[in-house]
Amino acid sequence: MRARLAIAISGIQVELREIVLKNKPDHLLTVSPKGTVPVLITTDGNIIEESLDIMVWALQQVDPHHWLSLDPSQQKISTNLIQHNDGPFKQWLDKYKYADRFPEQTELYYRQQAELTLMTLEQKLADNGCLISEKLSLADIAILPFIRQFAAVDKAWFDTAPYPHIQRWLNNFIGSALFNDIMPKIAPWQEADIPRYFPNLNA
Ligand SMILES: N[C@@H](CCC(=O)N[C@@H](CS)C(=O)NCC(=O)O)C(=O)O
């Protein structure tokens, strides 16, 4: 989702091949044996296999809202927040989402571990509006999809939890044209398909 968000905002056109994780095409595993998505192949044949790297690849070419424009101290905070999100937070989130697969602790325990991160984000949002400043930047877009997942585990609880700034930030994101632009369901890619392009799926 975050790779699509950055590509969509940059307007850079890519061929989109939707895959079903339970039935990965051979070509995906050939170009990227680790078998995770997203994977981007550039026109000069480079393989980019991490969503964050794909975001930076797109925004370094076209960055209409200056998501990459941070001063050095903001840059450091941004990098730390994203690393923490992609590391410890994502691990707690996965356990909270699939608590029945991790019976050594309760769902509540996993949620509370993840909430330690939410408390940090809530404070940043209270101080700045967005995570780093008063406007969205790379960290917001890189982290928001994971907070959306966190919220969805128990939406009724989340909506009344003491995170008003996160609720506002997430609701604004979910209500944005950008988010809705990247959401259409796309049929899985098959060898015989004619190419489909993103973000202009209908072009
Ligand atoms: N670090 C990677 C992680 C990507 C990732 O874990 N993607 C999941 C889907 S959201 C996946 O491909 N899982 C492989 C599988 O389920 O087989 C990135 O952000 O690009």
Side-chain angles (χ1 to χ4, degrees):
M1 186 176 285
R2 66 191 190 177
R4 278 194 195 181
L5 288 163
I7 289 172
I9 207 78
S10 77
I12 296 171
Q13 189 131 311
V14 299
E15 184 188 337
L16 184 62
R17 295 184 175 184
E18 187 74 11
I19 68 142
V20 178
L21 288 170
K22 289 195 187 107
N23 184 19
K24 294 174 188 167
D26 291 342
H27 186 234
L28 171 71
L29 297 170
T30 308
V31 298
S32 182
K34 74 183 172 77
T36 62
V37 293
V39 174
L40 183 117
I41 309 175
T42 66
T43 43
D44 46 12
N46 288 327
I47 312 291
I48 311 183
E49 319 179 80
E50 290 293 332
S51 54
L52 187 63
D53 295 337
I54 295 173
M55 296 181 81
V56 172
W57 169 86
L59 296 169
Q60 278 179 340
Q61 296 171 78
V62 188
D63 185 8
H65 298 301
H66 309 286
W67 287 353
L68 295 183
S69 302
L70 304 175
D71 68 34
S73 72
Q74 291 175 326
Q75 184 62 59
K76 198 158 176 249
I77 297 167
S78 173
T79 303
N80 286 341
L81 285 176
I82 295 171
Q83 278 175 356
H84 180 84
N85 176 79
D86 292 12
F89 178 70
K90 186 167 182 300
Q91 286 181 7
W92 292 123
L93 171 64
D94 284 343
K95 290 186 167 163
Y96 175 43
K97 275 164 63 181
Y98 306 114
D100 51 339
R101 296 184 208 164
F102 301 98
E104 53 285 7
Q105 296 287 351
T106 61
E107 180 184 295
L108 177 63
Y109 175 85
Y110 295 132
R111 191 189 81 200
Q112 287 172 340
Q113 294 304 311
E115 278 186 82
L116 299 174
T117 302
L118 264 77
M119 289 171 197
T120 305
L121 301 182
E122 178 71 13
Q123 191 57 54
K124 298 265 176 228
L125 294 169
D127 292 346
N128 304 320
C130 293
L131 286 179
I132 307 295
S133 70
E134 74 291 350
K135 63 182 204 57
L136 290 172
S137 68
L138 182 73
D140 298 277
I141 304 302
I143 294 171
L144 268 161
F146 296 88
I147 303 303
R148 177 173 170 266
Q149 289 180 29
F150 175 89
V153 177
D154 185 347
K155 194 69 175 59
W157 169 81
F158 180 81
D159 286 343
T160 57
Y163 304 114
H165 295 280
I166 294 180
Q167 286 149 356
R168 160 190 55 81
W169 178 66
L170 180 62
N171 287 337
N172 285 345
F173 171 65
I174 290 171
S176 69
L178 173 65
F179 175 76
N180 288 287
D181 281 355
I182 65 137
M183 286 311 277
K185 270 245 173 286
I186 297 154
W189 175 76
Q190 294 181 24
E191 198 85 44
D193 282 353
I194 53 162
R196 277 175 298 209
Y197 293 97
F198 178 82
N200 306 90
L201 283 169
N202 301 316

PDB file of all heavy atoms in Angstrom, residues 14-28:
ATOM      1  N   VAL A  14       3.781   2.767 -13.764  1.00  0.00           N
ATOM      2  CA  VAL A  14       4.418   1.445 -13.705  1.00  0.00           C
ATOM      3  C   VAL A  14       3.420   0.407 -14.214  1.00  0.00           C
ATOM      4  O   VAL A  14       2.210   0.606 -14.111  1.00  0.00           O
ATOM      5  CB  VAL A  14       4.854   1.060 -12.264  1.00  0.00           C
ATOM      6  CG1 VAL A  14       5.875   2.038 -11.710  1.00  0.00           C
ATOM      7  CG2 VAL A  14       3.659   0.958 -11.325  1.00  0.00           C
ATOM      8  N   GLU A  15       3.947  -0.675 -14.750  1.00  0.00           N
ATOM      9  CA  GLU A  15       3.056  -1.793 -15.061  1.00  0.00           C
ATOM     10  C   GLU A  15       2.759  -2.492 -13.735  1.00  0.00           C
ATOM     11  O   GLU A  15       3.673  -2.775 -12.956  1.00  0.00           O
ATOM     12  CB  GLU A  15       3.722  -2.769 -16.032  1.00  0.00           C
ATOM     13  CG  GLU A  15       2.756  -3.876 -16.418  1.00  0.00           C
ATOM     14  CD  GLU A  15       3.391  -4.999 -17.219  1.00  0.00           C
ATOM     15  OE1 GLU A  15       4.439  -4.788 -17.867  1.00  0.00           O
ATOM     16  OE2 GLU A  15       2.817  -6.107 -17.169  1.00  0.00           O
ATOM     17  N   LEU A  16       1.484  -2.750 -13.495  1.00  0.00           N
ATOM     18  CA  LEU A  16       1.095  -3.341 -12.216  1.00  0.00           C
ATOM     19  C   LEU A  16       0.722  -4.804 -12.418  1.00  0.00           C
ATOM     20  O   LEU A  16      -0.111  -5.130 -13.270  1.00  0.00           O
ATOM     21  CB  LEU A  16      -0.115  -2.582 -11.659  1.00  0.00           C
ATOM     22  CG  LEU A  16      -0.591  -3.006 -10.277  1.00  0.00           C
ATOM     23  CD1 LEU A  16       0.491  -2.767  -9.230  1.00  0.00           C
ATOM     24  CD2 LEU A  16      -1.842  -2.242  -9.902  1.00  0.00           C
ATOM     25  N   ARG A  17       1.364  -5.667 -11.657  1.00  0.00           N
ATOM     26  CA  ARG A  17       1.023  -7.085 -11.691  1.00  0.00           C
ATOM     27  C   ARG A  17       0.583  -7.509 -10.297  1.00  0.00           C
ATOM     28  O   ARG A  17       1.421  -7.702  -9.413  1.00  0.00           O
ATOM     29  CB  ARG A  17       2.222  -7.915 -12.149  1.00  0.00           C
ATOM     30  CG  ARG A  17       2.617  -7.599 -13.577  1.00  0.00           C
ATOM     31  CD  ARG A  17       3.734  -8.498 -14.054  1.00  0.00           C
ATOM     32  NE  ARG A  17       4.007  -8.259 -15.464  1.00  0.00           N
ATOM     33  CZ  ARG A  17       4.877  -8.939 -16.175  1.00  0.00           C
ATOM     34  NH1 ARG A  17       5.584  -9.907 -15.616  1.00  0.00           N
ATOM     35  NH2 ARG A  17       5.057  -8.670 -17.463  1.00  0.00           N
ATOM     36  N   GLU A  18      -0.704  -7.608 -10.141  1.00  0.00           N
ATOM     37  CA  GLU A  18      -1.265  -8.027  -8.856  1.00  0.00           C
ATOM     38  C   GLU A  18      -1.002  -9.525  -8.687  1.00  0.00           C
ATOM     39  O   GLU A  18      -1.171 -10.287  -9.644  1.00  0.00           O
ATOM     40  CB  GLU A  18      -2.773  -7.750  -8.881  1.00  0.00           C
ATOM     41  CG  GLU A  18      -3.495  -7.975  -7.591  1.00  0.00           C
ATOM     42  CD  GLU A  18      -3.223  -6.902  -6.545  1.00  0.00           C
ATOM     43  OE1 GLU A  18      -2.626  -5.872  -6.890  1.00  0.00           O
ATOM     44  OE2 GLU A  18      -3.595  -7.132  -5.388  1.00  0.00           O
ATOM     45  N   ILE A  19      -0.561  -9.930  -7.512  1.00  0.00           N
ATOM     46  CA  ILE A  19      -0.339 -11.362  -7.324  1.00  0.00           C
ATOM     47  C   ILE A  19      -1.120 -11.873  -6.119  1.00  0.00           C
ATOM     48  O   ILE A  19      -1.477 -11.125  -5.226  1.00  0.00           O
ATOM     49  CB  ILE A  19       1.154 -11.720  -7.168  1.00  0.00           C
ATOM     50  CG1 ILE A  19       1.706 -11.169  -5.852  1.00  0.00           C
ATOM     51  CG2 ILE A  19       1.996 -11.276  -8.334  1.00  0.00           C
ATOM     52  CD1 ILE A  19       2.670 -12.122  -5.248  1.00  0.00           C
ATOM     53  N   VAL A  20      -1.369 -13.187  -6.143  1.00  0.00           N
ATOM     54  CA  VAL A  20      -1.992 -13.850  -4.999  1.00  0.00           C
ATOM     55  C   VAL A  20      -0.853 -14.508  -4.228  1.00  0.00           C
ATOM     56  O   VAL A  20      -0.105 -15.317  -4.791  1.00  0.00           O
ATOM     57  CB  VAL A  20      -3.014 -14.912  -5.475  1.00  0.00           C
ATOM     58  CG1 VAL A  20      -3.628 -15.643  -4.286  1.00  0.00           C
ATOM     59  CG2 VAL A  20      -4.091 -14.259  -6.328  1.00  0.00           C
ATOM     60  N   LEU A  21      -0.707 -14.156  -2.950  1.00  0.00           N
ATOM     61  CA  LEU A  21       0.467 -14.642  -2.202  1.00  0.00           C
ATOM     62  C   LEU A  21       0.497 -16.169  -2.107  1.00  0.00           C
ATOM     63  O   LEU A  21       1.566 -16.765  -2.017  1.00  0.00           O
ATOM     64  CB  LEU A  21       0.500 -14.014  -0.808  1.00  0.00           C
ATOM     65  CG  LEU A  21       0.877 -12.526  -0.792  1.00  0.00           C
ATOM     66  CD1 LEU A  21       0.657 -11.929   0.586  1.00  0.00           C
ATOM     67  CD2 LEU A  21       2.319 -12.301  -1.245  1.00  0.00           C
ATOM     68  N   LYS A  22      -0.671 -16.803  -2.165  1.00  0.00           N
ATOM     69  CA  LYS A  22      -0.697 -18.275  -2.082  1.00  0.00           C
ATOM     70  C   LYS A  22      -0.329 -18.924  -3.406  1.00  0.00           C
ATOM     71  O   LYS A  22      -0.217 -20.138  -3.496  1.00  0.00           O
ATOM     72  CB  LYS A  22      -2.096 -18.746  -1.670  1.00  0.00           C
ATOM     73  CG  LYS A  22      -2.420 -18.423  -0.230  1.00  0.00           C
ATOM     74  CD  LYS A  22      -3.649 -19.210   0.243  1.00  0.00           C
ATOM     75  CE  LYS A  22      -4.059 -18.749   1.617  1.00  0.00           C
ATOM     76  NZ  LYS A  22      -5.271 -17.956   1.643  1.00  0.00           N
ATOM     77  N   ASN A  23      -0.196 -18.116  -4.436  1.00  0.00           N
ATOM     78  CA  ASN A  23       0.069 -18.676  -5.776  1.00  0.00           C
ATOM     79  C   ASN A  23       1.009 -17.718  -6.516  1.00  0.00           C
ATOM     80  O   ASN A  23       0.638 -17.081  -7.492  1.00  0.00           O
ATOM     81  CB  ASN A  23      -1.275 -18.842  -6.506  1.00  0.00           C
ATOM     82  CG  ASN A  23      -1.108 -19.495  -7.849  1.00  0.00           C
ATOM     83  OD1 ASN A  23      -0.095 -20.138  -8.118  1.00  0.00           O
ATOM     84  ND2 ASN A  23      -2.091 -19.317  -8.722  1.00  0.00           N
ATOM     85  N   LYS A  24       2.247 -17.636  -6.017  1.00  0.00           N
ATOM     86  CA  LYS A  24       3.171 -16.639  -6.569  1.00  0.00           C
ATOM     87  C   LYS A  24       3.645 -17.057  -7.959  1.00  0.00           C
ATOM     88  O   LYS A  24       4.059 -18.203  -8.146  1.00  0.00           O
ATOM     89  CB  LYS A  24       4.379 -16.476  -5.641  1.00  0.00           C
ATOM     90  CG  LYS A  24       3.994 -15.885  -4.308  1.00  0.00           C
ATOM     91  CD  LYS A  24       5.146 -15.852  -3.323  1.00  0.00           C
ATOM     92  CE  LYS A  24       4.610 -15.432  -1.959  1.00  0.00           C
ATOM     93  NZ  LYS A  24       5.522 -15.632  -0.858  1.00  0.00           N
ATOM     94  N   PRO A  25       3.593 -16.136  -8.915  1.00  0.00           N
ATOM     95  CA  PRO A  25       4.072 -16.473 -10.255  1.00  0.00           C
ATOM     96  C   PRO A  25       5.574 -16.783 -10.229  1.00  0.00           C
ATOM     97  O   PRO A  25       6.329 -16.182  -9.456  1.00  0.00           O
ATOM     98  CB  PRO A  25       3.809 -15.211 -11.076  1.00  0.00           C
ATOM     99  CG  PRO A  25       2.955 -14.331 -10.233  1.00  0.00           C
ATOM    100  CD  PRO A  25       3.120 -14.753  -8.815  1.00  0.00           C
ATOM    101  N   ASP A  26       5.994 -17.708 -11.102  1.00  0.00           N
ATOM    102  CA  ASP A  26       7.417 -18.067 -11.174  1.00  0.00           C
ATOM    103  C   ASP A  26       8.271 -16.828 -11.418  1.00  0.00           C
ATOM    104  O   ASP A  26       9.366 -16.698 -10.888  1.00  0.00           O
ATOM    105  CB  ASP A  26       7.657 -19.069 -12.314  1.00  0.00           C
ATOM    106  CG  ASP A  26       7.027 -20.416 -11.980  1.00  0.00           C
ATOM    107  OD1 ASP A  26       6.731 -20.645 -10.786  1.00  0.00           O
ATOM    108  OD2 ASP A  26       6.809 -21.201 -12.911  1.00  0.00           O
ATOM    109  N   HIS A  27       7.761 -15.918 -12.247  1.00  0.00           N
ATOM    110  CA  HIS A  27       8.569 -14.754 -12.598  1.00  0.00           C
ATOM    111  C   HIS A  27       8.899 -13.917 -11.362  1.00  0.00           C
ATOM    112  O   HIS A  27      10.011 -13.398 -11.227  1.00  0.00           O
ATOM    113  CB  HIS A  27       7.852 -13.902 -13.657  1.00  0.00           C
ATOM    114  CG  HIS A  27       8.696 -12.780 -14.164  1.00  0.00           C
ATOM    115  ND1 HIS A  27       8.274 -11.468 -14.146  1.00  0.00           N
ATOM    116  CD2 HIS A  27       9.942 -12.767 -14.682  1.00  0.00           C
ATOM    117  CE1 HIS A  27       9.240 -10.701 -14.633  1.00  0.00           C
ATOM    118  NE2 HIS A  27      10.261 -11.456 -14.973  1.00  0.00           N
ATOM    119  N   LEU A  28       7.951 -13.804 -10.439  1.00  0.00           N
ATOM    120  CA  LEU A  28       8.217 -13.059  -9.198  1.00  0.00           C
ATOM    121  C   LEU A  28       9.371 -13.711  -8.438  1.00  0.00           C
ATOM    122  O   LEU A  28      10.310 -13.037  -7.995  1.00  0.00           O
ATOM    123  CB  LEU A  28       6.962 -13.021  -8.311  1.00  0.00           C
ATOM    124  CG  LEU A  28       7.191 -12.446  -6.902  1.00  0.00           C
ATOM    125  CD1 LEU A  28       7.431 -10.938  -6.967  1.00  0.00           C
ATOM    126  CD2 LEU A  28       6.040 -12.747  -5.966  1.00  0.00           C
TER     127      LEU A  28
END
